Each structure stands twice: as C-alpha cells, then as structure tokens.
Amino acid sequence: MCSPTRAIPTRRACCARCRASAKRPRSLAAARDLVQAALIAGDEATAKQVLLDLFVGGQRISAMGDEVIAESFTAIGKLWECCELEVYRERLACRICSRVLIELRNLLPPSKPGAPIALGCAPAGDVYDLPTALVELVLRECGWNATSLGSSLP
C-alpha cells in the first residue's frame, strides 16, 4: 500500500501560479463540474488549472481520477451517446486530458532504484489510453516505476 503523503519538494517544483491558486479550496465535486465543462468546451487552460490546483492542494491522483476525470468522461460519454455532443468534442476532451496527465506526471518525483516495476497498456482495438495513463500516475505517486505503453497494443 502506498503512503498517503507526497514529497513536499514535488509540490514546490510547480509554477508560482499553481502554488498561488492552490490556496483556493475546491471540493472534488466542484472540480468535476469545472473540468467537465472545460473539457466539453475544449478549454484546456481551465481543465489544466483545476486539476493542477487539486494536485498542488494535496489531492491524491487516485481521487482525482475516480471522482473528477472518470465522472467527467462518464457524463461526456452519455452526452455523446444521446447525440447531444459531437464525437470530435469527446476526442478533443481525451487529448486535453492526456496532455494534463503528462503535466501531472512531470510533477511526480522519479521512482527510486529498486522500486516495483509495472507496465500497462490497453489491448488491441481499445483506443482509449486515459485509463492506463491514470493507473501509471497512481502507481508512480505510490513510489512505483510505472509506465503506460498506451492503447491498442497487440
């Protein structure tokens, strides 16, 4: 089981704007609503800022993944399924989220020598790489040397 604390130097490594905005408390439910709206609108800056605020403010990546990102994409998927959202918006939301997850990955400390190793991927035909990217980040936050190999691997 991983430790519930993150190294303080990681948080200090973030930009000054992120540190300043981390003082604004945000519940996960409020963050979910903001991220969902930003993703639907294609507003990468807002989605990124909200998720970085949560991280810098001490939220675990697992909670952000379950309660903000997954729930946002569940809602986006339902809108698409009901023809209330064009498919390009769903795909754009995925690309935006992927870029934000890369930024979060860069804020995590490198794994230590001898850390457990994990490789993950989505199987052939599965074009979605967000789930394995999130698993990578959760494991890295817990000290693992984890890598997502992406989607649609044979």
Side-chain angles (χ1 to χ4, degrees):
M1 183 160 210
C2 64
S3 167
T5 59
R6 214 177 354 265
I8 297 300
T10 300
R11 292 171 196 245
R12 290 187 183 140
C14 192
C15 68
R17 189 171 117 191
C18 291
R19 284 194 308 272
S21 65
K23 296 174 185 170
R24 295 187 311 249
R26 256 195 197 115
S27 71
L28 289 174
R32 178 200 62 230
D33 294 343
L34 290 169
V35 168
Q36 180 181 321
L39 291 173
I40 289 171
D43 181 357
E44 184 168 347
T46 298
K48 174 183 169 180
Q49 190 62 57
V50 172
L51 291 169
L52 291 179
D53 282 354
L54 289 173
F55 179 77
V56 173
Q59 284 293 337
R60 305 283 299 163
I61 293 174
S62 57
M64 293 165 50
D66 288 343
E67 298 179 44
V68 178
I69 297 170
E71 288 189 22
S72 292
F73 277 99
T74 296
I76 289 169
K78 287 179 183 176
L79 289 170
W80 175 78
E81 186 177 53
C82 296
C83 299
E84 295 178 31
L85 189 72
E86 297 290 332
V87 70
Y88 83 90
R89 291 209 179 265
E90 182 268 346
R91 296 309 308 152
L92 177 59
C94 288
R95 298 304 342 132
I96 288 170
C97 195
S98 290
R99 290 190 290 267
V100 173
L101 293 180
I102 290 168
E103 297 232 11
L104 285 170
R105 185 183 193 275
N106 291 333
L107 295 176
L108 292 171
S111 57
K112 294 180 180 173
I117 298 171
L119 294 174
C121 66
D126 185 346
V127 298
Y128 295 99
D129 58 359
L130 292 178
T132 60
L134 277 166
V135 169
E136 174 189 346
L137 293 182
V138 169
L139 289 173
R140 282 181 165 275
E141 188 175 43
C142 293
W144 285 58
N145 181 3
T147 303
S148 171
L149 300 176
S151 61
S152 204
L153 267 68

